Amino acid sequence: MSTITPPSPHPAVDRLAQPAPSPRRRRLPTGRALTYTVLVVGVLLWLLPFVWMVLGSVKTQREILTKPPTIWPQDPTFDNFGRWFTDLNFGQFFTNSVIVAVVTVLGNLLFCSMVGYALAKMDFPGKKALFALVMIMLMVPGVVTFVPLFVQVTSLGLLNTYPALILPFLTQPLGVFLMRQFMLGIPEPLMEAARIDGAGELRIFARVVMPLCGPPLATLGILTFLGSWNNFLWPLVAAQSQDMYTLPVALSLYSTGQQATDYGLLLAGAVLVITPILLLFVALQRYFVQGIATVGLK
């Protein structure tokens, strides 16, 4: 005869006493694993030039020209960086780049926001034609307007001055389009309430609209700073003296001699030029991503 085991008076204790089931390892789907592999390889390939630039900046000219090339510096030296601060006028070049980039960014943030607000929230004759003109200017290459712009700056007597480096880029069609697209999503009742309270358009723009435009302003600021900081061709022709050179121009002119290129000096200068851009992007990358994503939904 089979014996019947009476139920335990403490079933909760019995459940705790049972051994826990062994966890199962989740296998990564093949498609996702392949995607991750491709992304990792892409990131490594993207980082390779930057790693080579940083490692080459602390190599001697002789080691850089060695064949086969070495990866890690055999005799690291910081003389390439020191020459930028001692033999070359790095402080003046850096100051010029900062002044041009900062003023250009501030001008774009202000004027592109004002034009974007007018195109998004105001009604006036020729509004559609003006927006069409902005879209057309987005498709016009900068090289097309390069010569007429140089002739105009020269005729105004602004050559070899800060205004010559700043004024042509104080407002960009891309910035106008970016701000206009974002401001289209600002609720109209919010602005109508401000108008009922007696606020004018300028006050609505400054007190209501602009505080809501943090992400697109950060996006526009990063893009404008990047373009101004890396601009080479226009400062090359608009700056006629060493005192007005920006960093990209100085990097090109002083790292190339009459017979050979000083690659160590060139790579060290490239590190100095790219560092502020990386710091700015790291500091504002959250707003940059938000601005691009938000504008894309409009």
Side-chain angles (χ1 to χ4, degrees):
M1 298 179 61
S2 60
T3 58
I4 300 176
T5 303
S8 173
H10 302 287
V13 176
D14 293 341
R15 285 195 300 268
L16 293 176
Q18 295 177 359
S22 58
R24 296 180 179 179
R25 293 184 178 179
R26 294 183 177 180
R27 293 184 178 181
L28 197 64
T30 305
R32 184 174 298 180
L34 181 60
T35 301
Y36 287 161
T37 302
V38 172
L39 291 176
V40 170
V41 172
V43 169
L44 293 177
L45 293 176
W46 181 81
L47 289 175
L48 183 60
F50 296 95
V51 174
W52 180 264
M53 176 184 65
V54 174
L55 295 177
S57 65
V58 294
K59 293 180 181 179
T60 61
Q61 179 77 353
R62 181 177 181 180
E63 184 178 353
I64 293 176
L65 299 177
T66 301
K67 294 182 180 180
T70 59
I71 299 179
W72 296 102
Q74 303 298 320
D75 188 16
T77 177
F78 291 95
D79 292 341
N80 297 322
F81 291 96
R83 291 169 58 190
W84 277 102
F85 293 94
T86 56
D87 299 343
L88 304 177
N89 196 5
F90 177 82
Q92 184 64 46
F93 306 145
F94 183 81
T95 302
N96 293 339
S97 293
V98 169
I99 292 175
V100 172
V102 170
V103 176
T104 302
V105 168
L106 294 178
N108 275 267
L109 294 181
L110 176 61
F111 297 126
C112 292
S113 299
M114 296 176 71
V115 178
Y117 173 77
L119 293 175
K121 296 301 182 181
M122 298 178 66
D123 292 325
F124 55 90
K127 174 181 175 180
K128 293 183 179 180
L130 180 59
F131 181 67
L133 180 62
V134 172
M135 299 302 296
I136 292 174
M137 291 302 299
L138 280 173
M139 297 180 286
V140 176
V143 68
V144 174
T145 60
F146 188 87
V147 174
L149 191 60
F150 178 77
V151 174
Q152 185 178 7
V153 169
T154 305
S155 62
L156 293 175
L158 299 178
L159 205 61
N160 200 40
T161 61
Y162 285 120
L165 300 174
I166 296 172
L167 289 179
F169 309 99
L170 211 53
T171 304
Q172 298 292 327
L174 178 60
V176 174
F177 175 77
L178 184 70
M179 298 307 299
R180 184 253 185 191
Q181 291 300 104
F182 181 84
M183 291 179 181
L184 284 175
I186 298 179
E188 287 291 342
L190 189 64
M191 305 177 64
E192 290 297 333
R195 292 190 180 99
I196 293 175
D197 291 338
E201 293 297 334
L202 184 60
R203 187 173 182 181
I204 294 175
F205 169 77
R207 298 293 184 87
V208 179
V209 176
M210 290 301 287
L212 301 176
C213 295
L217 287 175
T219 303
L220 178 58
I222 292 176
L223 294 177
T224 306
F225 185 89
L226 181 64
S228 178
W229 189 266
N230 291 332
N231 194 5
F232 169 74
L233 188 57
W234 178 255
L236 180 64
V237 299
Q240 301 291 315
S241 64
Q242 180 178 346
D243 295 337
M244 295 302 302
Y245 286 167
T246 57
L247 278 176
V249 177
L251 181 64
S252 173
L253 296 181
Y254 291 105
S255 60
T256 305
Q258 296 180 353
Q259 298 180 351
T261 300
D262 192 337
Y263 293 103
L265 188 65
L266 179 64
L267 294 175
V271 172
L272 295 175
V273 170
I274 202 175
T275 299
I277 298 176
L278 293 178
L279 295 177
L280 179 67
F281 182 79
V282 170
L284 301 177
Q285 63 175 338
R286 178 166 61 94
Y287 301 100
F288 179 80
V289 174
Q290 289 179 0
I292 293 295
T294 307
V295 171
L297 296 177
K298 299 296 181 292

